[in-house]
Amino acid sequence: DLVETSYLMMGLLCARQFFTKNNNSEKKLRNQVDYLFNRVEWDFFQKNEEVLYWHWSEKYGWKMNFKVQGWNEALITYVMAASSDLHPISKNTYINGWAKNGGIKNGNTYYGYILPLGPPLGGPLFFEHYSFLGIDPKGLRDDYADYEIQTRNHSLINYSYCLANPKKYFGYSTTCWGLTASDTYGGYTAHEPNNDRGVISPTAALSSIPFTPEESMRALRFFYYEIGNKTWKDYGFIDAFSLDEYWFSNSFLAIDQGPIIIMLENYRTGLLWNLFTSCPEVKSGMKKLGFKAPYL
């Protein structure tokens, strides 16, 4: 799974940049991270095409045959692949594969907010979370978008949709909002305005806190103080709930908990953004793809 591998590598590079002491244990850690990162065969996942593919296995090969194309959660995969010294991809792979020669552009306005990229109404909020756990969107631009506008406006569109509440679900409000992939009653789904089942996922609003600090803090206070022990338990916030159905998940998913922790810290101090964007190979890779930002 190349996309999940890119999340792992993003985290490992942050760890490498954090542990900078000149002792044997931290030197060893940095060397191990370099060893792992340099041996990811990003270019292999092109299948001799100008696009990356998501999955490959020794047993099933390319059977899933799923292209990594935007706009979704996988911008980081192209950034990581372009940043590799031993197995890099070209800018053309980014343009033709990820950006679909401009096909990722949206440009429409929803609830008064222009959405530069992505599907109608933006899709689930994790599109604006996973890649931007490490990539700092502030002042970041390329040929397709201003990513500071993209991340903020997608979050505000999601918030405004919940406030408008066209399906009239009980509980949606200025303090109870946020649609993204999570558990739901009867299974798991990618909640979003075009797939709205009345289920609120705390990770949606809380992981958007760098983009919508006031709206996200109102949600955090409601989830914690008003609903209380129905939504906050042993491992933090539960994965999802529906006041309309009076249903509360009993699960805690790491892929939803992790972005809450990381984005709270990015909002407070910018720690993970600063660590990741300080990587020399990341700076080189992002410049290669045509990105511009104050930190590049």
Side-chain angles (χ1 to χ4, degrees), residues 53-115:
Y53 281 79
W54 204 297
H55 311 94
W56 179 86
S57 78
E58 291 186 5
K59 185 174 181 180
Y60 296 105
W62 303 103
K63 187 173 182 179
M64 294 184 74
N65 207 41
F66 191 75
K67 293 179 179 179
V68 184
Q69 291 183 306
W71 178 255
N72 57 34
E73 70 271 32
L75 173 63
I76 186 64
T77 307
Y78 279 81
V79 169
M80 291 280 81
S83 301
S84 172
D85 287 332
L86 298 181
H87 300 282
I89 60 165
S90 69
K91 184 177 181 180
N92 281 339
T93 301
Y94 176 75
I95 293 171
N96 298 313
W98 172 251
K100 297 192 287 188
N101 286 301
I104 60 171
K105 290 185 178 181
N106 184 311
N108 293 313
T109 298
Y110 307 93
Y111 299 104
Y113 302 103
I114 190 168
L115 183 68

Side-chain angles (χ1 to χ4, degrees), residues 67-258:
K67 293 179 179 179
V68 184
Q69 291 183 306
W71 178 255
N72 57 34
E73 70 271 32
L75 173 63
I76 186 64
T77 307
Y78 279 81
V79 169
M80 291 280 81
S83 301
S84 172
D85 287 332
L86 298 181
H87 300 282
I89 60 165
S90 69
K91 184 177 181 180
N92 281 339
T93 301
Y94 176 75
I95 293 171
N96 298 313
W98 172 251
K100 297 192 287 188
N101 286 301
I104 60 171
K105 290 185 178 181
N106 184 311
N108 293 313
T109 298
Y110 307 93
Y111 299 104
Y113 302 103
I114 190 168
L115 183 68
L117 305 173
L121 293 164
L125 273 179
F126 73 88
F127 286 2
E128 311 307 326
H129 297 159
Y130 294 175
S131 290
F132 296 100
L133 299 175
I135 299 172
D136 185 353
K138 295 195 301 294
L140 180 66
R141 301 184 179 197
D142 69 356
D143 292 337
Y144 307 103
D146 179 322
Y147 292 89
E148 189 168 358
I149 293 174
Q150 171 70 21
T151 51
R152 176 167 171 76
N153 284 7
H154 182 195
S155 299
L156 285 170
I157 290 165
N158 197 286
Y159 167 80
S160 299
Y161 170 85
C162 291
L163 191 58
N165 192 14
K167 294 189 175 182
K168 308 301 180 186
Y169 289 121
F170 176 74
Y172 284 22
S173 70
T174 58
T175 60
C176 187
W177 65 278
L179 307 179
T180 195
S182 71
D183 282 344
T184 187
Y185 48 88
Y188 184 93
T189 192
H191 304 285
E192 51 117 334
N194 293 307
N195 182 33
D196 180 12
R197 303 185 183 187
V199 172
I200 297 296
S201 311
T203 188
L206 303 186
S207 299
S208 285
I209 194 167
F211 318 135
T212 51
E214 293 180 6
E215 295 84 355
S216 296
M217 280 301 298
R218 285 200 297 267
L220 189 152
R221 292 188 176 103
F222 178 77
F223 299 155
Y224 186 79
Y225 290 111
E226 299 298 325
I227 309 180
N229 61 10
K230 293 187 185 307
T231 50
W232 177 267
K233 297 188 179 181
D234 292 348
Y235 305 106
F237 287 109
I238 62 171
D239 198 50
F241 65 91
S242 171
L243 296 180
D244 192 75
E245 294 283 333
Y246 203 72
W247 168 84
F248 298 88
S249 169
N250 59 10
S251 63
F252 304 85
L253 299 191
I255 201 167
D256 290 339
Q257 296 283 353

